[in-house]
Amino acid sequence: MNTSQIDRYSLKQYTRLMISFFGCLFVLTLFQYGMLYYKGVIDTIFSVSFLKAIVHQIGFTALMGIVMVFPFNFWENLRSKYGFNLVFVLLSFVLIFEALLTAYYCTTLVPLGSDILGYSYSDMKITIANSGGFMISIYLLIGISILISLFLILYRVTSKVYHRISKMYPFTIVLFSLFMASLFTDGKPINQNKVQYLAVNVYNTSTEDNSYTSNEEYPLVQSANVENVLGEYFELKEEKPNIVFIMVEGLGRDFVGEGAEYGGFTPYLDSLTTKSLYWENFLSNTGRTFGVLPSLLGSLPFGKSGFMELEEYPNKLTMFSVLKNNGYHTSFYQGTNSSFDKVDRFLTSENVDFVLDKSGFGSKYQKQAEDAAGSSWGYPDMELFKKSLSFERNENLPRLEVYMTISTHEPFIPPNQDLFEDKVKNILANGDFDSRVEKIIEKNDNVFATLLYTDDAIKWFMQSYKTQPNYENTIFIITGDHRLIPIPQRNNISRFHVPMIMYSPMLKTTRKMSSVSSHFDVTPSILALLSNSYELKMPKKVAWMGGALDMETAFRSTKNIPLMRNKNELKEYISGEKLYTDGDIMELDEDMNISSAFGGGAIESTLERFKSVNHYVTTENKIIPDSLAIFTIQKEQFTDSETVWLNSVYDGKDSDKGYFKARDLAWNKKWDKALLLCRYNLSGAPSHIDTKILMGRVNSWQGNHEKAAEILQECISINPNYIDSYAALFDVYYWSDKLKEGLALIDKVEANSSSANEIADKISRARTIARNAGIEVHKPKQEEPANTIASIK
């Protein structure tokens, strides 16, 4: 009876202690936001950011409750109140540390993280002393006294509410549930628990051994003299050829070419493999789309989470920059949002001339059907190709065009789905599939229907491209970004096993290669082909991760190829015919099957060395020196005060939300802050055209009409179809009395945008004002309907 009473008493005290601990964290959070508001860094105390901070504090409380319940029970069982006193003291120290870190953050506006490891005790002592150490000590002593007193007061107050808590599920389950919930809430330094932030930051830095020990400052830099293995296969013309890449979502080797496990669903590509240079044992360097652009077009290292995820891009060379520097017009086409996976940021860093994403299609094109949740990636592959070929091409400029498809991605909803699923049934009925494969196809008929659709779209594109300028002087490169994920895979290499097809009217002969190469080898080989045939401005040194494509027809694997399965998962490495995967050494055969191998133990250490080089060159800007860079990276700079304010109003995760917040600020005439948020939004999503248009409008509202017009003209240049850019620019010309410019814009919008009727009122206004001013006005092709459009989307 007495033991039972003690147990109940102990649970009660422990529960009240944790509630009081959270109460103190709540007060510290309130203090932080109050201080930042008082200093004018943030606009308001009670915001979404504040709510996120409370969620994180709940999670941290739950974590501490789970961790400390064990020493509490242990010592409490030895002697009553020992466990309670121990936990009280430990929690008090945590609160004091949280208070110190919060004060530090409110002062410096940056959280204390693993950088603490770079300071000695004497350094910190000097820093504190030179920052008014004595007065800070007095304030800290007062603050700590208040905090501990609050802890005790809250503990006493909780006795009045414990009877409600005792009716809940077991307390540890509640704590664990709250902790798990907090894991799914993204946080910025402003709304994270500062002790947890420091601990995680220090742990990650301390446990990840990516130390680079070599004295070589630029370990990847090498001679640019890559062997021209492609030259003998092409009858190149006097003018530099066009290069067209088609990166097909999920196009694994298992679906294409002779001997494909799931063959028969890409009939056009199958036929193209027999008319091309075709590598059947080719590898993507990443298991997801995030890595295909840097690998295929840049032969670049990965960084920790993929090159495009790097917070700051190091100097680099890619096919985009090299060919643009040699007179090529560079373009990129996709039917989805180019800010996904930060593609737009990568393209912006390469000064790509033209980018088409889903914002530039217009009303003439049909979006991909929505899934059950009501969402759509954007425009399917046929619409992408049709839209891209609607643009005029300059026959006097060589072109680098890069396409990224999307239809063969979840949720696999192709246009005319019933038609293509019927085709799947016909292929199954007439095919010779084993029972396992047949069942997989039947179960995933929508996936294989989408493969048929995309194959049809590529066929249409290749045939239609014959009408484009200088088609006969074009090289097409078709490959997959990785293998489709939903269809069962044979082994760990299947995820990376993709076809590589190089087709051109200039091919002298066809050839099928069974040797192993990777996306890393494409850019070095194409540039070697061009530089050996034309006068190109080529860098004297390069830092390619790959080399010349292997042209051997028989199976062989001679290269060292790192493979990043997912972001942050660099777990596979090929060295010759050996594969290191998840701690196992396997051997590759001619069918890209794998089996256990003897020997090859050095591969793991080779992978570890690569990881250290990969980390070093991407974090320290040591891929290539400044002298070799073609385009230097211009990064937006924000002060500490600006950064804290930005984090308080926007977490940087959703560019649409960032735009709407900036728009609200603009409507409330907080123009400077609206422009600041626009800059921040565009630093992470440079293709977000609505944000650019808003910047143009705000500049005009501030009287900076020239700047506004410049921004909006750039928007039209990037996306000639998007009607909101024209609507805003008509307003700017109207406000700044630019009558002739307004008239010229009428011709431009009617020629380029399929939605010109949506701004008929602005077009009519421009004509009327010009007439009243005595300026000759061309008669409109037809009377515009009296439509209007909101000033801001």
Side-chain angles (χ1 to χ4, degrees), residues 283 491 493 516 555 557 574 576-579 586-595 597:
L283 296 172
N491 52 50
I493 205 67
V516 177
F555 172 78
S557 180
I574 287 178
E577 294 184 7
K578 296 291 194 299
L579 166 69
M586 313 297 286
E587 187 156 2
L588 291 173
D589 67 16
E590 64 273 11
D591 297 317
M592 296 300 275
N593 292 315
I594 61 175
S595 57

Side-chain angles (χ1 to χ4, degrees), residues 229-244:
V229 296
L230 297 174
E232 63 181 285
Y233 300 97
F234 287 90
E235 190 71 57
L236 292 177
K237 301 183 183 299
E238 184 178 344
E239 300 298 326
K240 288 174 282 193
N242 306 311
I243 310 293
V244 177

Side-chain angles (χ1 to χ4, degrees), residues 433-498:
F433 301 98
D434 64 44
S435 58
R436 183 190 70 87
V437 171
E438 187 172 341
K439 287 179 181 177
I440 291 171
I441 295 171
E442 289 175 345
K443 188 177 181 180
N444 298 277
D445 59 342
N446 62 324
V447 176
F448 290 92
T450 311
L451 278 169
L452 285 167
Y453 164 78
T454 292
D455 186 71
D456 262 11
I458 295 173
K459 178 181 180 179
W460 180 90
F461 173 78
M462 295 293 286
Q463 292 176 343
S464 301
Y465 207 92
K466 294 176 181 179
T467 64
Q468 298 302 305
N470 304 319
Y471 162 78
E472 68 286 349
N473 192 22
T474 303
I475 298 172
F476 298 90
I477 300 163
I478 304 173
T479 187
D481 58 347
H482 58 83
R483 183 206 187 269
L484 278 169
I485 305 300
I487 305 302
Q489 301 173 24
R490 289 179 293 127
N491 52 50
N492 282 5
I493 205 67
S494 295
R495 179 83 163 263
F496 308 95
H497 191 188
V498 296

